[in-house]
Amino acid sequence: MKQFSTLKEIAQKLGVSVSTVSRALSDSYEISESQKERIRAYVKEINYQPNPHAKSLRSNQSKTIGVLIPDISNYFFTLALQGIETIVHEKGYNLMIYQTHDDHLIEEKTFSYLENGVVDGVLSAVSSNKEGSIEHVKRLNSLIPIVFFDRHLKQMSVPFVSCNDYESGLHATKHLLERGCRNIVFIGIDESISVTADRLDGYRAALHQMDISVKESNILLCTSQEEAYEQILKRLKQRDKADAFFSSVERYTVQLYHACEELKLKIPADLKIISFSNNPLASFMNPPLSTITQPAFEIGKSAAGLLLEMLKKKKPAAPKDLVIPCTFHYTVSSLGNK
């Protein structure tokens, strides 16, 4: 049977007005129950699917949420998106996903595009702010609700859902110190990105508590895996031998393992390692990797729930800044062989 795509065609078939069909499908009290049942039975019979675009034009809503992430191949963001989807689709919203690749210009263009009303709200893991401009975020936030997740702009008062990055950086570094390490290298991405800054602050605080000076040569900030590999090799070849690495980025940890293999360094005998990672294969690395696992799914789900509450113009049930603790899993790479 033909699937009617408009309310007008259904109304003509049933001999009623378009407004009657529309009101019946929205369960209006103005339509009798018998009429509602007749119309509902027919639209079910023909498998009628409302046109979401036409409906959004009438309600002045797109029923779409924009999500900005750096890289969809990152395990953290893959899991966070799954958490977002569980809430968003349940409430009848669609997702539009944009990758910024940590490029400030790409992010700015995307935010500007979203000003055109294509989405009702935005979930964003913002990129580096070293350009010093956040006007594109402020401008969009004046039009629609924004919730930051994982990363945020500290200059803006925007709801934010994250893990405890500072405390995790502190505890990871303390763990290595407790294993006897004293020349610990931190590796991460741009310090202007909030997660790097917070984890690095935790690293510095742990060293200060042990009266160990923070060496600039022990802070490696890289923009790509290729650069990370070169910086790691250079640092491992220095006479001032590093005895541990705390990695803030899981993809750089793979480069660290490769560099150790090239230089014939043994993990953990020569170098102990702990890393942020949501990679399910971390326990299968050689040797198994000690990890700090972010609650990615929960972060995405909580951020989406908070945004949907804001879209309903109700007071958010969650705190403005929601922090969900990370989970530590210590294994051979930092504990050593038993």
Side-chain angles (χ1 to χ4, degrees):
M1 178 177 288
K2 177 184 176 183
Q3 293 185 9
F4 291 90
S5 59
T6 68
L7 294 181
K8 183 178 180 181
E9 289 177 302
I10 296 173
Q12 289 175 345
K13 181 68 176 180
L14 296 177
V16 296
S17 67
V18 172
S19 62
T20 297
V21 175
S22 178
R23 289 170 184 167
L25 295 179
S26 62
D27 199 26
S28 171
Y29 69 92
E30 299 172 287
I31 308 299
S32 68
E33 286 302 318
S34 60
Q35 187 76 293
K36 287 180 188 177
E37 289 177 8
R38 176 172 173 254
I39 294 171
R40 288 170 182 164
Y42 183 71
V43 298
K44 183 177 181 180
E45 178 186 341
I46 65 171
N47 193 27
Y48 167 72
Q49 298 295 325
N51 184 332
H53 180 65
K55 186 177 180 180
S56 70
L57 290 175
R58 292 192 298 272
S59 64
N60 210 21
Q61 288 184 323
S62 69
K63 295 300 286 184
T64 301
I65 287 174
V67 183
L68 277 75
I69 57 175
D71 184 0
I72 200 169
S73 67
N74 183 305
Y75 282 102
F76 170 83
F77 291 112
T78 299
L79 292 171
L81 282 172
Q82 291 176 12
I84 291 169
E85 287 178 336
T86 61
I87 297 294
V88 168
H89 291 163
E90 180 183 294
K91 299 298 182 181
Y93 282 81
N94 298 308
L95 288 180
M96 293 181 69
I97 301 168
Y98 303 89
Q99 295 185 85
T100 65
H101 302 288
D102 280 328
D103 187 314
H104 181 81
L105 295 179
I106 292 176
E107 179 183 272
E108 188 169 349
K109 288 179 181 178
T110 304
F111 268 86
S112 297
Y113 169 71
L114 295 178
E115 292 176 24
N116 296 323
V118 294
V119 297
D120 297 330
V122 168
L123 297 165
S124 177
V126 286
S127 69
S128 168
N129 190 40
K130 63 183 177 182
E131 304 291 335
S133 171
I134 59 173
E135 292 307 312
H136 60 290
V137 188
K138 288 182 176 179
R139 196 165 56 244
L140 184 62
N141 194 40
S142 69
L143 300 172
I144 59 175
I146 296 176
V147 173
F148 292 143
F149 70 100
D150 184 52
R151 307 166 173 197
H152 66 124
L153 298 174
K154 297 182 180 181
Q155 309 96 312
M156 289 186 64
S157 180
V158 172
F160 174 46
V161 183
S162 70
C163 69
N164 54 338
D165 287 299
Y166 171 83
E167 291 80 6
S168 295
L170 178 73
H171 294 157
T173 309
K174 280 187 172 182
H175 168 69
L176 293 172
L177 290 167
E178 289 167 358
R179 305 306 299 171
C181 304
R182 291 297 180 269
N183 203 7
I184 304 169
V185 177
F186 175 94
I187 185 166
I189 50 180
D190 197 320
E191 192 175 353
S192 67
I193 295 176
S194 61
V195 289
T196 301
D198 292 340
R199 294 168 188 179
L200 185 52
D201 283 346
Y203 161 84
R204 289 179 173 130
L207 294 180
H208 287 152
Q209 289 176 16
M210 291 290 292
D211 293 323
I212 298 174
S213 61
V214 178
K215 303 174 185 177
E216 288 305 312
S217 61
N218 278 349
I219 299 175
L220 308 183
L221 301 177
C222 314
T223 58
S224 68
Q225 295 188 63
E226 294 76 17
E227 182 186 359
Y229 185 69
E230 293 303 320
Q231 286 208 41
I232 290 167
L233 275 179
K234 181 179 178 181
R235 180 64 190 87
L236 290 176
K237 290 177 181 178
Q238 291 177 7
R239 294 181 64 183
D240 180 20
K241 298 292 185 182
D243 55 17
F245 263 71
F246 164 33
S247 178
S248 175
V249 185
E250 68 178 19
R251 64 183 181 272
Y252 292 170
T253 307
V254 176
Q255 305 304 317
L256 177 55
Y257 269 62
H258 288 331
C260 287
E261 184 177 5
E262 179 174 329
L263 298 176
K264 310 300 183 186
L265 295 175
K266 301 296 183 182
I267 305 169
D270 299 319
L271 194 74
K272 292 181 171 58
I273 299 172
I274 188 169
S275 173
F276 273 86
S277 178
N278 284 82
N279 191 331
L281 299 179
S283 61
F284 295 98
M285 295 176 72
N286 185 22
L289 176 66
S290 291
T291 58
I292 311 148
T293 301
Q294 296 169 266
F297 184 91
E298 290 77 10
I299 287 174
K301 184 177 179 180
S302 298
L306 181 55
L307 179 61
L308 290 173
E309 288 179 6
M310 295 169 68
L311 289 172
K312 290 195 305 184
K313 298 182 179 179
K314 293 182 179 180
K315 184 178 179 181
K320 187 172 184 181
D321 293 329
L322 179 61
V323 177
I324 308 174
C326 292
T327 302
F328 283 73
H329 180 65
Y330 302 120
T331 186
V332 178
S333 73
S334 67
L335 289 175
N337 294 302
K338 295 183 180 180

